[in-house]
Amino acid sequence: GENVEQHPSTLSVQEGDSAVIKCTYSDSASNYFPWYKQELGKRPQLIIDIRSNVGEKKDQRIAVTLNKTAKHFSLHITETQPEDSAVYFCAASKRWSSASKIIFGSGTRLSIRP
Amino acid sequence: GAVVSQHPSWVICKSGTSVKIECRSLDFQATTMFWYRQFPKQSLMLMATSNEGSKATYEQGVEKDKFLINHASLTLSTLTVTSAHPEDSSFYICSAREGLAGGRDTQYFGPGTRLTVL
């Protein structure tokens, strides 16, 4: 089955600096890669996603890149703000398939230093 | 947007008792629902996938006789933790998917249920 690895497990950056979180996946059939932000005790919130036919996607301060050949994808947050502090999860799934269950990475705890 | 609710939001029970958690899709019909478990400071681990009207498919290592899943209608799935023990204490989160066609395969997450077994 699919296995998603995520690094780093913790990340601390100065407010205003950029943060990068990296993930790899194992199943070459995966075609959909969402990123979630989870605050303590709450449900994961989808913040951005990318499909396998796209190499990069941007939404304001957040961008995601995908390298299908290497099976790598990354989340980039620019101009970080205190409210960006949370746990971020990458994930992979086979969208448009009856097997489209979402498999999560291990998570990155992001802390923004004032 | 699509809304998924869970009930209860938290529950405390004694060891050996059973606990039922409900997951409801409020404004759409969910052909598939997923159940996840999240231990403190860990990731969401998929426990099982349930399709309306059929038996759930459990992930490797998840005891189907301990975690009973019923998806009897298109808006409701239940997870029953039978003979709960302290090690079952966790945050249980469901997600629901409307279908595969027409762009309705997005999964929407419920708010989670925190189970504490004494």
Side-chain angles (χ1 to χ4, degrees):
Chain A
E2 176 65 278
N3 182 50
V4 179
E5 295 192 355
Q6 183 171 348
H7 301 280
S9 57
T10 60
L11 180 60
S12 178
V13 301
Q14 193 75 33
E15 182 178 351
D17 288 350
S18 296
V20 180
I21 302 171
K22 298 183 179 182
C23 291
T24 60
Y25 62 100
S26 62
D27 190 342
S28 57
S30 290
N31 56 14
Y32 176 64
F33 307 92
W35 285 87
Y36 295 88
K37 175 183 180 182
Q38 188 181 32
E39 297 178 353
L40 189 63
K42 297 191 176 180
R43 78 186 86 195
Q45 298 278 4
L46 178 68
I47 57 172
I48 195 168
D49 56 14
I50 191 168
R51 300 183 185 184
S52 59
N53 59 348
V54 176
E56 185 174 357
K57 183 177 178 180
K58 189 174 182 180
D59 182 4
Q60 299 182 0
R61 297 187 296 110
I62 296 174
V64 59
T65 59
L66 171 66
N67 182 328
K68 274 183 61 178
T69 303
K71 290 190 258 183
H72 290 176
F73 58 116
S74 301
L75 177 72
H76 304 250
I77 305 175
T78 58
E79 300 173 20
T80 52
Q81 300 170 2
E83 53 265 36
D84 294 331
S85 294
V87 179
Y88 291 80
F89 293 98
C90 62
S93 76
K94 301 182 189 66
R95 204 166 182 184
W96 314 117
S97 161
S98 60
S100 63
K101 52 190 179 183
I102 295 175
I103 302 300
F104 286 82
S106 53
T108 296
R109 185 171 299 276
L110 175 63
S111 300
I112 307 302
R113 303 190 303 271
Chain B
V3 178
V4 177
S5 70
Q6 278 184 243
H7 178 81
S9 55
W10 60 269
V11 57
I12 301 173
C13 70
K14 293 182 179 180
S15 185
T17 61
S18 294
V19 174
K20 180 184 284 187
I21 302 170
E22 294 184 348
C23 177
R24 292 183 184 272
S25 56
L26 299 186
D27 52 1
F28 67 100
Q29 293 186 323
T31 57
T32 305
M33 289 186 172
F34 304 86
W35 286 95
Y36 293 84
R37 179 168 56 181
Q38 185 177 33
F39 292 111
K41 296 187 178 182
Q42 293 189 25
S43 186
L44 285 80
M45 300 302 297
L46 180 64
M47 300 175 65
T49 302
S50 73
N51 291 293
E52 185 267 337
S54 60
K55 289 185 178 180
T57 301
Y58 290 80
E59 295 297 305
Q60 191 172 8
V62 177
E63 301 174 59
K64 60 181 66 177
D65 293 333
K66 180 170 182 63
F67 299 99
L68 302 179
I69 292 172
N70 185 286
H71 191 166
S73 79
L74 285 172
T75 59
L76 173 65
S77 176
T78 60
L79 167 67
T80 302
V81 182
T82 63
S83 187
H85 292 287
E87 56 265 31
D88 297 323
S89 298
S90 188
F91 193 48
Y92 291 86
I93 304 175
C94 71
S95 70
R97 183 181 73 198
E98 185 175 8
L100 291 177
R104 298 193 299 274
D105 70 330
T106 299
Q107 288 187 33
Y108 300 94
F109 285 86
T113 296
R114 183 158 303 282
L115 170 63
T116 301
V117 185
L118 302 177

